[in-house]
């Protein structure tokens, strides 16, 4: 199954969610790939550590070759890097993605990622991290994906933005990718004791939005996990938040494929 984690808002947990769910998929025995499409390269750093900065070839090289006229193009596998976690691979991002964007857009290259993933055999589970914008790279990921997860940070402004986000997904579905489904809204940094987040999440459910459970708690361990470049299942297998991630993973339809 191919997953995209999408929310135009910055800092809602996209990269953390991609890496932790992908690490769980790999630990459960699925050959797993993380595709990092954000020039900030946070997911690449999380999974590769310091090596991420020099990872080559990377996603920018992949997109750049789609602009050329090479007769024999490299297959998608050439751009993948193994992590130190069994069964987990990364197509790393690079800051150079930013500079390529307008050229790729002008030349309608937004189907290239989907085509490359279609050609990539042997991976059971693919997780795409997107930048905090609905730009060329986010659109490429939405076109390549089968399931979309929307992280939600329990903020009232974000709640209103969710409807626009769902409309964007529907538009991509109608125009480019009939296979795309919204798997659900992932409630992140949930503070069970605070009244406002509880109320906001309840309202979402009442309005019929597909809110997934369990909710992910807020924990300082996330930062530690980033610093150690080790997803939570590896760093702290028995932590409460790890348990929530495992529960969320198991709740996802098709998470094993
Ligand atoms: N469950 C959590 N508990 C505490 N902090 C969290 C949690 N999830 C994410 N964070 C923190 O929130 C910040 C943003 O997380 P992350 O980078 O995953 O979000 P993002 O949506 O990918 O951001 P961007 O839009 O910039 O790519 C990070 O500092 C991260 O440590
Ligand atoms: Mg991110």
């Amino acid at each position: 199954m191919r997953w995209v984690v999408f929310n135009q808002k910055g800092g809602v947990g996209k990269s953390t969610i991609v890496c932790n769910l992908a690490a769980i998929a790999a630990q459960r025995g699925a050959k797993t790939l993380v595709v990092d499409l954000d020039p900030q390269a946070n997911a690449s750093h999380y999974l590769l550590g310091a090596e991420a900065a020099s990872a080559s070839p990377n996603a920018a090289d992949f997109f750049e070759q789609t602009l050329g006229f090479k007769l024999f193009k490299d297959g998608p596998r050439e751009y993948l890097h193994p992590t130190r976690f069994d069964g987990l691979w990364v197509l790393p991002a690079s800051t150079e993605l930013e500079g390529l964007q307008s050229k790729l857009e002008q030349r309608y290259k937004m189907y290239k990622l989907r085509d490359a993933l279609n050609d990539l055999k042997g991976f059971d589970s693919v997780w795409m991290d997107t930048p905090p914008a609905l730009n060329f790279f986010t659109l490429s990921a939405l076109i390549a994906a089968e399931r979309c997860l929307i992280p939600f940070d329990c903020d009232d402004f974000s709640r209103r933005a969710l409807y626009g986000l769902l409309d964007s997904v529907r538009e991509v579905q109608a125009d480019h990718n009939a296979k795309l489904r919204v798997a659900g809204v992932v409630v992140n940094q949930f503070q069970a004791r605070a009244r406002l987040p509880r109320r906001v999440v309840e309202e979402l459910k009442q309005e019929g939005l597909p809110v997934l459970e369990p909710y992910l708690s807020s924990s300082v361990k996330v930062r530690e996990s980033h610093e150690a470049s080790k997803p939570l299942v590896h760093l702290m297998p028995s932590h409460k938040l790890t348990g929530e991630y495992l529960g969320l993973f198991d709740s996802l339809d098709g998470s094993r494929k």
Side-chain angles (χ1 to χ4, degrees):
M1 188 70 81
R2 290 187 206 157
W3 302 84
V4 59
V5 179
F6 164 56
N7 192 322
Q8 282 153 269
K9 188 173 178 205
V12 293
K14 294 180 286 294
S15 306
T16 308
I17 290 169
V18 161
C19 295
N20 280 288
L21 292 178
I24 293 170
Q27 201 197 43
R28 296 274 174 90
K31 189 165 177 189
T32 304
L33 173 65
V34 167
V35 176
D36 187 357
L37 295 169
D38 183 355
Q40 298 179 95
N42 292 338
S44 307
H45 282 275
Y46 195 2
L47 297 175
L48 293 173
E51 285 166 40
S54 55
S56 168
N58 53 43
D61 299 306
F62 164 75
F63 281 106
E64 194 165 22
Q65 57 98 38
T66 71
L67 294 165
F69 297 98
K70 260 205 216 162
L71 199 52
F72 298 105
K73 297 214 161 140
D74 296 332
R77 201 169 278 271
E78 306 300 315
Y79 300 89
L80 311 187
H81 298 252
T83 67
R84 54 201 171 102
F85 312 107
D86 272 355
L88 184 59
W89 295 67
V90 190
L91 170 57
S94 128
T95 47
E96 284 155 33
L97 284 169
E98 195 85 66
L100 288 169
Q101 197 175 193
S102 64
K103 223 184 250 177
L104 290 164
E105 210 162 57
Q106 278 161 21
R107 293 178 47 193
Y108 304 103
K109 301 294 182 182
M110 69 270 199
Y111 299 105
K112 293 294 181 186
L113 179 64
R114 179 196 63 190
D115 296 347
L117 293 177
N118 283 345
D119 289 345
L120 182 67
K121 304 292 175 230
F123 280 86
D124 310 300
S125 188
V126 177
W127 297 82
M128 290 175 264
D129 189 22
T130 54
L134 182 47
N135 63 13
F136 169 84
F137 298 111
T138 306
L139 182 61
S140 296
L142 288 165
I143 290 173
E146 295 162 274
R147 295 283 184 278
C148 176
L149 289 175
I150 300 180
F152 174 66
D153 61 0
C154 307
D155 175 270
D156 202 39
F157 288 142
S158 308
R159 189 182 90 85
R160 276 171 264 167
L162 273 182
Y163 292 92
L165 273 173
L166 290 168
D167 282 345
S168 304
V169 175
R170 278 188 215 110
E171 194 178 339
V172 174
Q173 187 186 38
D175 294 348
H176 305 280
N177 180 9
K179 281 191 193 159
L180 183 62
R181 297 279 173 275
V182 174
V185 173
V186 177
V187 176
N188 191 33
Q189 300 218 41
F190 185 69
Q191 289 168 316
R193 284 194 216 118
R195 207 162 356 124
L196 182 72
R198 272 205 324 261
R199 198 202 73 212
V200 173
V201 173
E202 273 318 304
E203 280 171 8
L204 288 184
K205 290 210 274 189
Q206 278 161 20
E207 287 164 8
L209 269 83
V211 178
L212 296 166
E213 288 186 31
Y215 308 153
L216 302 173
S217 308
S218 184
S219 166
V220 291
K221 299 295 178 193
V222 170
R223 192 161 295 170
E224 281 178 37
S225 160
H226 287 176
E227 273 165 18
S229 289
K230 235 175 170 185
L232 291 161
V233 271
H234 297 292
L235 189 69
M236 285 166 238
S238 50
H239 190 269
K240 178 180 173 222
L241 180 57
T242 311
E244 291 162 357
Y245 263 111
L246 289 163
L248 176 66
F249 180 85
D250 286 332
S251 79
L252 297 174
D253 165 42
S255 59
R256 270 148 233 283
K257 284 179 266 155

